[in-house]
Each structure stands twice: as structure tokens, then as C-alpha cells.
Amino acid sequence: ELRTHVLSSNPSVQEALQRIAAAEAVLRQARSAYLPTITLNGNAGHADASLHPDAYPNKRFADSFRQGYAGLSGTWLLFDGFAREARNLGSKYNVQRTEELANETRRLLVLSATVSFRQAQLAEEAMRIAEQDREFNTKLEQDALKRFEAGALPESDVQNFSIRALQAESAWLRSKLNYATACTVLAELMAWPDATLPEGMRPGGIVFDAPAAPPGLEEELKYALGHRPDYNALQSGRLALAQRVRAAKGEMLPQIAVVGEVNYTGRQGYSEVDDHGNYDSFVGVAASWDLFTGGRKINTVREAQAEMRGLEQQRESLRLSIRSTLRQRIDRLLDATHQTMHGVMQ
């Protein structure tokens, strides 16, 4: 119930979902490159013109008129060095990366909630023990004071019992503060108003299970690398960067597109000629190839390659961190199991 409430209420989960929606929108943008682009243009205004036609070298025509223009143009990219294919795949991998990061957000929230819940349980147990210790030391202090008043105990022993009572009181207050802090963190993770848990919603007591056999490091590491969302997100990010390198290399090749346009220009208000309009249309193939860009395109490729190598090192660093964390937790489990068995034997 706690985990369900955290995952359904915490704003970080909603933020992660919006990041997925943004990545999916970028993917749809990349796919739109396979479709043609159609543009409608138009303008209207008043013009004053003075013409000196070649057919009449000794005569100049001057007039004012109203002019309107409307045109429809279209472009359909046929080839761009497979850059749009690479962008499409890169956007697809980026969606996978954001989905893994959303799962990582959920994992961290569940981990934080579990740790806070266990801390609250431990603090409650420590508070109960500290309460008994406080009552016991307070009783000893009172008995020592009575014996001192009767002359059967030196003052130094009374002071020792008083110090023990104060220490027990301090331990109880510290446990109470730890419990309140853990409950506040839980309320924050569950997005409760004022960071306060509702009445009746408090962590229950600890139920001690029989100690389990410690897992093997390599087996746990293999499972973690296959299921940790942050590790998988780096893998998706590496694949996305590889496609970015492909797209940057594709920009170095020529682009070929089918182009076409239909235009109409109308003129009215001439003083010497009748109103008339001009119509033209065109369909063809256009090609362009940037032969020199000052090194911009090749350095774009190098930038993407460097970022991909850096991401690979980040992935290796995370693998080492996961391995170290597992080793530490297995060692703590072995130590706790040893202490538990030792306590049972005593």
C-alpha cells in the first residue's frame, strides 16, 4: 500500500511521464521527415513601376497598380545520406531511455520509501527500548537517592545513577526525533499535505524473519545489470548516440528531393492596359551538396563520437558502482546474520 501510494502521488513520477511524452513527440517529429512539405504563400499590395523595355528603347512606361500573389510549393526529400533514418532510430532509442529513466525514478522512490519505513520501525523499536531503559534507570536513581539520604551510599554513586538516567532520557528523545523524521520523509514521498502522515497511518512493528542464505555476488550482479533501469538507460542512450553519429555522417552526403510549385500573380488598376494575371508551374528534381562548410560537419561527427565514448565510460563506472554496492550489502548481510546467530546461541 505504501509503495502504491508513493508511485501514484509523488510528482517525480508525473514529471517522468511527461518526459516520456516529450520524447514520443520528438519521435513523431523525426518520422515526419519521410512525408512531403507543402507550403502556401501569398501577398497583396499596391505597386508603382517604371519600365524601360528592350523592345522600345526610346520609350519608358510608368504606372501604378494593385498586385496580388498566391503560390503553392511542395518538397519531398528522397535521399539525405540516410540521416533521417538515423534520426528516427535515435529518437526511438531516446524514448526507450526516458522510459528506463522513469522506471529508475520509480525504483528510487520505492527504495527511499522502504528505507524511511524501516527507519521508522527501527526508531519506534529503539524508542520502546529507550523508554524501558529510562524507567529502569529512573527507578535506580530514586533508590540510590534514598540510600544516600539514609547514609548507606556515597554521593558519587548517586551522581553515577543520575548520569545514567539522563543518558537514558537523551536516548529516548533521540529515538523519538528519529521516528518523527522518518514519518515526515514518508509523508513527503507520499505527497501528503504539510508533510504529515494522517492519523492512523503509522509504520507497524518489526517482524523478524529467519535469516536467509546470502546471495552470490556474480549472480546478483548479472541480475542487476539486466534489470537496473539506470544501467539500461545508459545502454539506450549509447544506441541513440550511435544513430546521432550516423545522422551527422549522412549530413556530409548530397540531398535529393522532388520539388514543385504553382504560382499565380494578378494585377489590376493599370491606366493604359487591361487587368491581367500570370500563371506558372514547375515540377522537377533538386539536389544540393555542401562541398565545404569550414569543418562544421566533420566536427559534428567527432562531437557525437566523443559523447558516445564518454557515455560508455559512464556505463562502466555505473557497473563498478553496482558491483561495489552489492558487495557491501552482502557483507552487511553476512555480518548481521552472524550477529543474529551468535545472539541466539547465547
PDB file of all heavy atoms in Angstrom, residues 85-118:
ATOM      1  N   GLU A  85      16.759   8.468 -41.430  1.00  0.00           N
ATOM      2  CA  GLU A  85      16.585   7.131 -40.853  1.00  0.00           C
ATOM      3  C   GLU A  85      17.306   7.046 -39.508  1.00  0.00           C
ATOM      4  O   GLU A  85      16.781   6.498 -38.536  1.00  0.00           O
ATOM      5  CB  GLU A  85      17.116   6.075 -41.807  1.00  0.00           C
ATOM      6  CG  GLU A  85      17.034   4.656 -41.252  1.00  0.00           C
ATOM      7  CD  GLU A  85      17.692   3.626 -42.144  1.00  0.00           C
ATOM      8  OE1 GLU A  85      18.219   4.022 -43.203  1.00  0.00           O
ATOM      9  OE2 GLU A  85      17.699   2.443 -41.781  1.00  0.00           O
ATOM     10  N   ALA A  86      18.526   7.598 -39.461  1.00  0.00           N
ATOM     11  CA  ALA A  86      19.288   7.580 -38.213  1.00  0.00           C
ATOM     12  C   ALA A  86      18.602   8.415 -37.143  1.00  0.00           C
ATOM     13  O   ALA A  86      18.550   8.025 -35.972  1.00  0.00           O
ATOM     14  CB  ALA A  86      20.704   8.099 -38.465  1.00  0.00           C
ATOM     15  N   ARG A  87      18.052   9.563 -37.524  1.00  0.00           N
ATOM     16  CA  ARG A  87      17.344  10.394 -36.535  1.00  0.00           C
ATOM     17  C   ARG A  87      16.107   9.677 -36.017  1.00  0.00           C
ATOM     18  O   ARG A  87      15.764   9.792 -34.835  1.00  0.00           O
ATOM     19  CB  ARG A  87      16.958  11.730 -37.166  1.00  0.00           C
ATOM     20  CG  ARG A  87      18.136  12.622 -37.532  1.00  0.00           C
ATOM     21  CD  ARG A  87      17.654  14.024 -37.894  1.00  0.00           C
ATOM     22  NE  ARG A  87      18.730  14.812 -38.476  1.00  0.00           N
ATOM     23  CZ  ARG A  87      18.949  14.953 -39.765  1.00  0.00           C
ATOM     24  NH1 ARG A  87      18.136  14.360 -40.646  1.00  0.00           N
ATOM     25  NH2 ARG A  87      19.944  15.681 -40.221  1.00  0.00           N
ATOM     26  N   ASN A  88      15.418   8.969 -36.889  1.00  0.00           N
ATOM     27  CA  ASN A  88      14.237   8.226 -36.468  1.00  0.00           C
ATOM     28  C   ASN A  88      14.605   7.135 -35.458  1.00  0.00           C
ATOM     29  O   ASN A  88      13.962   6.992 -34.409  1.00  0.00           O
ATOM     30  CB  ASN A  88      13.556   7.615 -37.690  1.00  0.00           C
ATOM     31  CG  ASN A  88      12.267   6.899 -37.341  1.00  0.00           C
ATOM     32  OD1 ASN A  88      11.341   7.482 -36.805  1.00  0.00           O
ATOM     33  ND2 ASN A  88      12.204   5.612 -37.647  1.00  0.00           N
ATOM     34  N   LEU A  89      15.665   6.374 -35.752  1.00  0.00           N
ATOM     35  CA  LEU A  89      16.099   5.329 -34.823  1.00  0.00           C
ATOM     36  C   LEU A  89      16.626   5.936 -33.520  1.00  0.00           C
ATOM     37  O   LEU A  89      16.381   5.416 -32.430  1.00  0.00           O
ATOM     38  CB  LEU A  89      17.186   4.472 -35.480  1.00  0.00           C
ATOM     39  CG  LEU A  89      16.720   3.529 -36.586  1.00  0.00           C
ATOM     40  CD1 LEU A  89      17.912   2.852 -37.255  1.00  0.00           C
ATOM     41  CD2 LEU A  89      15.744   2.489 -36.042  1.00  0.00           C
ATOM     42  N   GLY A  90      17.365   7.043 -33.649  1.00  0.00           N
ATOM     43  CA  GLY A  90      17.869   7.701 -32.448  1.00  0.00           C
ATOM     44  C   GLY A  90      16.750   8.187 -31.541  1.00  0.00           C
ATOM     45  O   GLY A  90      16.821   8.063 -30.316  1.00  0.00           O
ATOM     46  N   SER A  91      15.690   8.728 -32.138  1.00  0.00           N
ATOM     47  CA  SER A  91      14.541   9.175 -31.344  1.00  0.00           C
ATOM     48  C   SER A  91      13.831   7.996 -30.695  1.00  0.00           C
ATOM     49  O   SER A  91      13.350   8.090 -29.558  1.00  0.00           O
ATOM     50  CB  SER A  91      13.565   9.955 -32.233  1.00  0.00           C
ATOM     51  OG  SER A  91      14.175  11.090 -32.785  1.00  0.00           O
ATOM     52  N   LYS A  92      13.789   6.871 -31.412  1.00  0.00           N
ATOM     53  CA  LYS A  92      13.177   5.660 -30.843  1.00  0.00           C
ATOM     54  C   LYS A  92      13.960   5.171 -29.626  1.00  0.00           C
ATOM     55  O   LYS A  92      13.390   4.830 -28.589  1.00  0.00           O
ATOM     56  CB  LYS A  92      13.115   4.576 -31.914  1.00  0.00           C
ATOM     57  CG  LYS A  92      12.486   3.279 -31.449  1.00  0.00           C
ATOM     58  CD  LYS A  92      12.454   2.260 -32.575  1.00  0.00           C
ATOM     59  CE  LYS A  92      11.847   0.930 -32.100  1.00  0.00           C
ATOM     60  NZ  LYS A  92      11.824  -0.074 -33.206  1.00  0.00           N
ATOM     61  N   TYR A  93      15.291   5.161 -29.729  1.00  0.00           N
ATOM     62  CA  TYR A  93      16.115   4.762 -28.590  1.00  0.00           C
ATOM     63  C   TYR A  93      16.008   5.767 -27.445  1.00  0.00           C
ATOM     64  O   TYR A  93      16.104   5.396 -26.273  1.00  0.00           O
ATOM     65  CB  TYR A  93      17.574   4.625 -29.020  1.00  0.00           C
ATOM     66  CG  TYR A  93      17.842   3.427 -29.910  1.00  0.00           C
ATOM     67  CD1 TYR A  93      18.573   3.560 -31.092  1.00  0.00           C
ATOM     68  CD2 TYR A  93      17.355   2.171 -29.584  1.00  0.00           C
ATOM     69  CE1 TYR A  93      18.809   2.468 -31.913  1.00  0.00           C
ATOM     70  CE2 TYR A  93      17.581   1.074 -30.402  1.00  0.00           C
ATOM     71  CZ  TYR A  93      18.310   1.230 -31.569  1.00  0.00           C
ATOM     72  OH  TYR A  93      18.544   0.147 -32.368  1.00  0.00           O
ATOM     73  N   ASN A  94      15.803   7.031 -27.791  1.00  0.00           N
ATOM     74  CA  ASN A  94      15.663   8.042 -26.737  1.00  0.00           C
ATOM     75  C   ASN A  94      14.358   7.854 -25.972  1.00  0.00           C
ATOM     76  O   ASN A  94      14.296   8.122 -24.768  1.00  0.00           O
ATOM     77  CB  ASN A  94      15.713   9.440 -27.350  1.00  0.00           C
ATOM     78  CG  ASN A  94      15.868  10.515 -26.304  1.00  0.00           C
ATOM     79  OD1 ASN A  94      16.767  10.478 -25.462  1.00  0.00           O
ATOM     80  ND2 ASN A  94      14.979  11.490 -26.325  1.00  0.00           N
ATOM     81  N   VAL A  95      13.297   7.397 -26.659  1.00  0.00           N
ATOM     82  CA  VAL A  95      12.056   7.070 -25.961  1.00  0.00           C
ATOM     83  C   VAL A  95      12.303   5.932 -24.970  1.00  0.00           C
ATOM     84  O   VAL A  95      11.850   5.974 -23.813  1.00  0.00           O
ATOM     85  CB  VAL A  95      10.948   6.682 -26.954  1.00  0.00           C
ATOM     86  CG1 VAL A  95       9.727   6.126 -26.225  1.00  0.00           C
ATOM     87  CG2 VAL A  95      10.532   7.892 -27.784  1.00  0.00           C
ATOM     88  N   GLN A  96      13.039   4.909 -25.419  1.00  0.00           N
ATOM     89  CA  GLN A  96      13.376   3.810 -24.516  1.00  0.00           C
ATOM     90  C   GLN A  96      14.185   4.313 -23.322  1.00  0.00           C
ATOM     91  O   GLN A  96      13.982   3.867 -22.185  1.00  0.00           O
ATOM     92  CB  GLN A  96      14.170   2.741 -25.272  1.00  0.00           C
ATOM     93  CG  GLN A  96      13.386   2.045 -26.375  1.00  0.00           C
ATOM     94  CD  GLN A  96      14.218   1.033 -27.131  1.00  0.00           C
ATOM     95  OE1 GLN A  96      15.378   0.791 -26.799  1.00  0.00           O
ATOM     96  NE2 GLN A  96      13.646   0.440 -28.170  1.00  0.00           N
ATOM     97  N   ARG A  97      15.100   5.254 -23.579  1.00  0.00           N
ATOM     98  CA  ARG A  97      15.923   5.797 -22.488  1.00  0.00           C
ATOM     99  C   ARG A  97      15.067   6.534 -21.460  1.00  0.00           C
ATOM    100  O   ARG A  97      15.236   6.347 -20.250  1.00  0.00           O
ATOM    101  CB  ARG A  97      16.974   6.748 -23.064  1.00  0.00           C
ATOM    102  CG  ARG A  97      17.969   7.275 -22.028  1.00  0.00           C
ATOM    103  CD  ARG A  97      18.933   8.249 -22.673  1.00  0.00           C
ATOM    104  NE  ARG A  97      18.265   9.468 -23.059  1.00  0.00           N
ATOM    105  CZ  ARG A  97      18.095  10.511 -22.239  1.00  0.00           C
ATOM    106  NH1 ARG A  97      18.559  10.470 -20.998  1.00  0.00           N
ATOM    107  NH2 ARG A  97      17.480  11.588 -22.656  1.00  0.00           N
ATOM    108  N   THR A  98      14.135   7.358 -21.933  1.00  0.00           N
ATOM    109  CA  THR A  98      13.285   8.089 -20.993  1.00  0.00           C
ATOM    110  C   THR A  98      12.356   7.145 -20.233  1.00  0.00           C
ATOM    111  O   THR A  98      12.040   7.389 -19.058  1.00  0.00           O
ATOM    112  CB  THR A  98      12.462   9.155 -21.731  1.00  0.00           C
ATOM    113  OG1 THR A  98      11.747   8.551 -22.820  1.00  0.00           O
ATOM    114  CG2 THR A  98      13.357  10.247 -22.276  1.00  0.00           C
ATOM    115  N   GLU A  99      11.925   6.063 -20.878  1.00  0.00           N
ATOM    116  CA  GLU A  99      11.108   5.079 -20.170  1.00  0.00           C
ATOM    117  C   GLU A  99      11.918   4.392 -19.072  1.00  0.00           C
ATOM    118  O   GLU A  99      11.405   4.164 -17.962  1.00  0.00           O
ATOM    119  CB  GLU A  99      10.561   4.046 -21.154  1.00  0.00           C
ATOM    120  CG  GLU A  99       9.492   4.602 -22.088  1.00  0.00           C
ATOM    121  CD  GLU A  99       9.065   3.588 -23.142  1.00  0.00           C
ATOM    122  OE1 GLU A  99       9.772   2.565 -23.320  1.00  0.00           O
ATOM    123  OE2 GLU A  99       8.033   3.816 -23.795  1.00  0.00           O
ATOM    124  N   GLU A 100      13.173   4.072 -19.367  1.00  0.00           N
ATOM    125  CA  GLU A 100      14.030   3.466 -18.346  1.00  0.00           C
ATOM    126  C   GLU A 100      14.303   4.449 -17.212  1.00  0.00           C
ATOM    127  O   GLU A 100      14.352   4.062 -16.035  1.00  0.00           O
ATOM    128  CB  GLU A 100      15.346   3.004 -18.973  1.00  0.00           C
ATOM    129  CG  GLU A 100      15.209   1.848 -19.947  1.00  0.00           C
ATOM    130  CD  GLU A 100      14.794   0.562 -19.264  1.00  0.00           C
ATOM    131  OE1 GLU A 100      14.796   0.501 -18.028  1.00  0.00           O
ATOM    132  OE2 GLU A 100      14.431  -0.398 -19.974  1.00  0.00           O
ATOM    133  N   LEU A 101      14.484   5.724 -17.552  1.00  0.00           N
ATOM    134  CA  LEU A 101      14.705   6.733 -16.508  1.00  0.00           C
ATOM    135  C   LEU A 101      13.456   6.904 -15.647  1.00  0.00           C
ATOM    136  O   LEU A 101      13.555   7.165 -14.443  1.00  0.00           O
ATOM    137  CB  LEU A 101      15.097   8.065 -17.145  1.00  0.00           C
ATOM    138  CG  LEU A 101      16.493   8.109 -17.788  1.00  0.00           C
ATOM    139  CD1 LEU A 101      16.727   9.450 -18.458  1.00  0.00           C
ATOM    140  CD2 LEU A 101      17.569   7.831 -16.749  1.00  0.00           C
ATOM    141  N   ALA A 102      12.280   6.760 -16.249  1.00  0.00           N
ATOM    142  CA  ALA A 102      11.041   6.808 -15.458  1.00  0.00           C
ATOM    143  C   ALA A 102      10.980   5.623 -14.497  1.00  0.00           C
ATOM    144  O   ALA A 102      10.586   5.764 -13.333  1.00  0.00           O
ATOM    145  CB  ALA A 102       9.823   6.817 -16.379  1.00  0.00           C
ATOM    146  N   ASN A 103      11.396   4.445 -14.987  1.00  0.00           N
ATOM    147  CA  ASN A 103      11.450   3.277 -14.101  1.00  0.00           C
ATOM    148  C   ASN A 103      12.483   3.479 -12.994  1.00  0.00           C
ATOM    149  O   ASN A 103      12.289   3.029 -11.858  1.00  0.00           O
ATOM    150  CB  ASN A 103      11.791   2.027 -14.907  1.00  0.00           C
ATOM    151  CG  ASN A 103      10.665   1.606 -15.830  1.00  0.00           C
ATOM    152  OD1 ASN A 103       9.490   1.881 -15.559  1.00  0.00           O
ATOM    153  ND2 ASN A 103      10.996   0.953 -16.934  1.00  0.00           N
ATOM    154  N   GLU A 104      13.585   4.159 -13.330  1.00  0.00           N
ATOM    155  CA  GLU A 104      14.592   4.446 -12.303  1.00  0.00           C
ATOM    156  C   GLU A 104      14.038   5.401 -11.251  1.00  0.00           C
ATOM    157  O   GLU A 104      14.319   5.258 -10.054  1.00  0.00           O
ATOM    158  CB  GLU A 104      15.835   5.059 -12.965  1.00  0.00           C
ATOM    159  CG  GLU A 104      16.914   5.519 -12.011  1.00  0.00           C
ATOM    160  CD  GLU A 104      17.562   4.385 -11.235  1.00  0.00           C
ATOM    161  OE1 GLU A 104      17.257   3.197 -11.496  1.00  0.00           O
ATOM    162  OE2 GLU A 104      18.376   4.680 -10.347  1.00  0.00           O
ATOM    163  N   THR A 105      13.239   6.357 -11.695  1.00  0.00           N
ATOM    164  CA  THR A 105      12.596   7.260 -10.725  1.00  0.00           C
ATOM    165  C   THR A 105      11.696   6.475  -9.783  1.00  0.00           C
ATOM    166  O   THR A 105      11.700   6.695  -8.564  1.00  0.00           O
ATOM    167  CB  THR A 105      11.771   8.324 -11.475  1.00  0.00           C
ATOM    168  OG1 THR A 105      12.644   9.110 -12.286  1.00  0.00           O
ATOM    169  CG2 THR A 105      11.051   9.237 -10.493  1.00  0.00           C
ATOM    170  N   ARG A 106      10.929   5.544 -10.341  1.00  0.00           N
ATOM    171  CA  ARG A 106      10.064   4.708  -9.502  1.00  0.00           C
ATOM    172  C   ARG A 106      10.902   3.859  -8.544  1.00  0.00           C
ATOM    173  O   ARG A 106      10.552   3.713  -7.360  1.00  0.00           O
ATOM    174  CB  ARG A 106       9.193   3.810 -10.379  1.00  0.00           C
ATOM    175  CG  ARG A 106       8.211   4.558 -11.269  1.00  0.00           C
ATOM    176  CD  ARG A 106       7.304   3.592 -12.010  1.00  0.00           C
ATOM    177  NE  ARG A 106       6.386   4.259 -12.914  1.00  0.00           N
ATOM    178  CZ  ARG A 106       6.605   4.421 -14.210  1.00  0.00           C
ATOM    179  NH1 ARG A 106       7.709   3.931 -14.760  1.00  0.00           N
ATOM    180  NH2 ARG A 106       5.721   5.043 -14.971  1.00  0.00           N
ATOM    181  N   ARG A 107      11.992   3.308  -9.051  1.00  0.00           N
ATOM    182  CA  ARG A 107      12.841   2.455  -8.202  1.00  0.00           C
ATOM    183  C   ARG A 107      13.410   3.242  -7.020  1.00  0.00           C
ATOM    184  O   ARG A 107      13.394   2.773  -5.870  1.00  0.00           O
ATOM    185  CB  ARG A 107      13.989   1.869  -9.029  1.00  0.00           C
ATOM    186  CG  ARG A 107      14.865   0.865  -8.278  1.00  0.00           C
ATOM    187  CD  ARG A 107      16.053   0.448  -9.106  1.00  0.00           C
ATOM    188  NE  ARG A 107      17.048   1.491  -9.187  1.00  0.00           N
ATOM    189  CZ  ARG A 107      18.001   1.689  -8.279  1.00  0.00           C
ATOM    190  NH1 ARG A 107      18.080   0.921  -7.204  1.00  0.00           N
ATOM    191  NH2 ARG A 107      18.870   2.666  -8.427  1.00  0.00           N
ATOM    192  N   LEU A 108      13.900   4.448  -7.311  1.00  0.00           N
ATOM    193  CA  LEU A 108      14.480   5.262  -6.238  1.00  0.00           C
ATOM    194  C   LEU A 108      13.422   5.695  -5.230  1.00  0.00           C
ATOM    195  O   LEU A 108      13.691   5.773  -4.028  1.00  0.00           O
ATOM    196  CB  LEU A 108      15.174   6.481  -6.846  1.00  0.00           C
ATOM    197  CG  LEU A 108      16.426   6.179  -7.682  1.00  0.00           C
ATOM    198  CD1 LEU A 108      16.972   7.461  -8.296  1.00  0.00           C
ATOM    199  CD2 LEU A 108      17.486   5.490  -6.842  1.00  0.00           C
ATOM    200  N   LEU A 109      12.207   5.978  -5.722  1.00  0.00           N
ATOM    201  CA  LEU A 109      11.138   6.360  -4.799  1.00  0.00           C
ATOM    202  C   LEU A 109      10.758   5.191  -3.886  1.00  0.00           C
ATOM    203  O   LEU A 109      10.577   5.360  -2.680  1.00  0.00           O
ATOM    204  CB  LEU A 109       9.914   6.831  -5.582  1.00  0.00           C
ATOM    205  CG  LEU A 109      10.002   8.232  -6.201  1.00  0.00           C
ATOM    206  CD1 LEU A 109       8.800   8.491  -7.080  1.00  0.00           C
ATOM    207  CD2 LEU A 109      10.099   9.293  -5.109  1.00  0.00           C
ATOM    208  N   VAL A 110      10.640   3.998  -4.486  1.00  0.00           N
ATOM    209  CA  VAL A 110      10.317   2.817  -3.684  1.00  0.00           C
ATOM    210  C   VAL A 110      11.437   2.535  -2.688  1.00  0.00           C
ATOM    211  O   VAL A 110      11.181   2.202  -1.519  1.00  0.00           O
ATOM    212  CB  VAL A 110      10.068   1.603  -4.596  1.00  0.00           C
ATOM    213  CG1 VAL A 110       9.982   0.322  -3.773  1.00  0.00           C
ATOM    214  CG2 VAL A 110       8.780   1.798  -5.382  1.00  0.00           C
ATOM    215  N   LEU A 111      12.681   2.687  -3.136  1.00  0.00           N
ATOM    216  CA  LEU A 111      13.818   2.469  -2.236  1.00  0.00           C
ATOM    217  C   LEU A 111      13.799   3.475  -1.085  1.00  0.00           C
ATOM    218  O   LEU A 111      14.000   3.102   0.084  1.00  0.00           O
ATOM    219  CB  LEU A 111      15.124   2.588  -3.023  1.00  0.00           C
ATOM    220  CG  LEU A 111      16.415   2.441  -2.209  1.00  0.00           C
ATOM    221  CD1 LEU A 111      16.485   1.063  -1.564  1.00  0.00           C
ATOM    222  CD2 LEU A 111      17.632   2.686  -3.094  1.00  0.00           C
ATOM    223  N   SER A 112      13.561   4.734  -1.396  1.00  0.00           N
ATOM    224  CA  SER A 112      13.511   5.762  -0.347  1.00  0.00           C
ATOM    225  C   SER A 112      12.368   5.501   0.629  1.00  0.00           C
ATOM    226  O   SER A 112      12.533   5.650   1.843  1.00  0.00           O
ATOM    227  CB  SER A 112      13.352   7.143  -0.982  1.00  0.00           C
ATOM    228  OG  SER A 112      14.450   7.461  -1.809  1.00  0.00           O
ATOM    229  N   ALA A 113      11.214   5.113   0.085  1.00  0.00           N
ATOM    230  CA  ALA A 113      10.068   4.827   0.950  1.00  0.00           C
ATOM    231  C   ALA A 113      10.353   3.623   1.839  1.00  0.00           C
ATOM    232  O   ALA A 113      10.014   3.617   3.035  1.00  0.00           O
ATOM    233  CB  ALA A 113       8.817   4.595   0.116  1.00  0.00           C
ATOM    234  N   THR A 114      10.979   2.586   1.266  1.00  0.00           N
ATOM    235  CA  THR A 114      11.292   1.387   2.054  1.00  0.00           C
ATOM    236  C   THR A 114      12.286   1.705   3.158  1.00  0.00           C
ATOM    237  O   THR A 114      12.124   1.280   4.317  1.00  0.00           O
ATOM    238  CB  THR A 114      11.860   0.291   1.133  1.00  0.00           C
ATOM    239  OG1 THR A 114      10.901  -0.008   0.121  1.00  0.00           O
ATOM    240  CG2 THR A 114      12.166  -0.969   1.919  1.00  0.00           C
ATOM    241  N   VAL A 115      13.341   2.481   2.822  1.00  0.00           N
ATOM    242  CA  VAL A 115      14.346   2.844   3.826  1.00  0.00           C
ATOM    243  C   VAL A 115      13.715   3.685   4.932  1.00  0.00           C
ATOM    244  O   VAL A 115      13.961   3.455   6.126  1.00  0.00           O
ATOM    245  CB  VAL A 115      15.513   3.589   3.154  1.00  0.00           C
ATOM    246  CG1 VAL A 115      16.442   4.186   4.214  1.00  0.00           C
ATOM    247  CG2 VAL A 115      16.301   2.650   2.250  1.00  0.00           C
ATOM    248  N   SER A 116      12.899   4.660   4.543  1.00  0.00           N
ATOM    249  CA  SER A 116      12.252   5.510   5.557  1.00  0.00           C
ATOM    250  C   SER A 116      11.306   4.694   6.429  1.00  0.00           C
ATOM    251  O   SER A 116      11.227   4.912   7.646  1.00  0.00           O
ATOM    252  CB  SER A 116      11.486   6.642   4.870  1.00  0.00           C
ATOM    253  OG  SER A 116      12.353   7.473   4.139  1.00  0.00           O
ATOM    254  N   PHE A 117      10.582   3.758   5.812  1.00  0.00           N
ATOM    255  CA  PHE A 117       9.672   2.906   6.576  1.00  0.00           C
ATOM    256  C   PHE A 117      10.444   2.058   7.580  1.00  0.00           C
ATOM    257  O   PHE A 117      10.066   1.955   8.759  1.00  0.00           O
ATOM    258  CB  PHE A 117       8.886   2.022   5.615  1.00  0.00           C
ATOM    259  CG  PHE A 117       7.846   1.169   6.271  1.00  0.00           C
ATOM    260  CD1 PHE A 117       6.602   1.687   6.587  1.00  0.00           C
ATOM    261  CD2 PHE A 117       8.110  -0.152   6.580  1.00  0.00           C
ATOM    262  CE1 PHE A 117       5.637   0.903   7.203  1.00  0.00           C
ATOM    263  CE2 PHE A 117       7.151  -0.947   7.191  1.00  0.00           C
ATOM    264  CZ  PHE A 117       5.917  -0.424   7.500  1.00  0.00           C
ATOM    265  N   ARG A 118      11.547   1.458   7.138  1.00  0.00           N
ATOM    266  CA  ARG A 118      12.362   0.646   8.048  1.00  0.00           C
ATOM    267  C   ARG A 118      13.010   1.504   9.124  1.00  0.00           C
ATOM    268  O   ARG A 118      13.121   1.076  10.285  1.00  0.00           O
ATOM    269  CB  ARG A 118      13.445  -0.089   7.252  1.00  0.00           C
ATOM    270  CG  ARG A 118      12.914  -1.120   6.272  1.00  0.00           C
ATOM    271  CD  ARG A 118      12.036  -2.144   6.952  1.00  0.00           C
ATOM    272  NE  ARG A 118      11.605  -3.200   6.042  1.00  0.00           N
ATOM    273  CZ  ARG A 118      10.680  -4.089   6.322  1.00  0.00           C
ATOM    274  NH1 ARG A 118      10.050  -4.069   7.490  1.00  0.00           N
ATOM    275  NH2 ARG A 118      10.355  -5.024   5.433  1.00  0.00           N
TER     276      ARG A 118
END
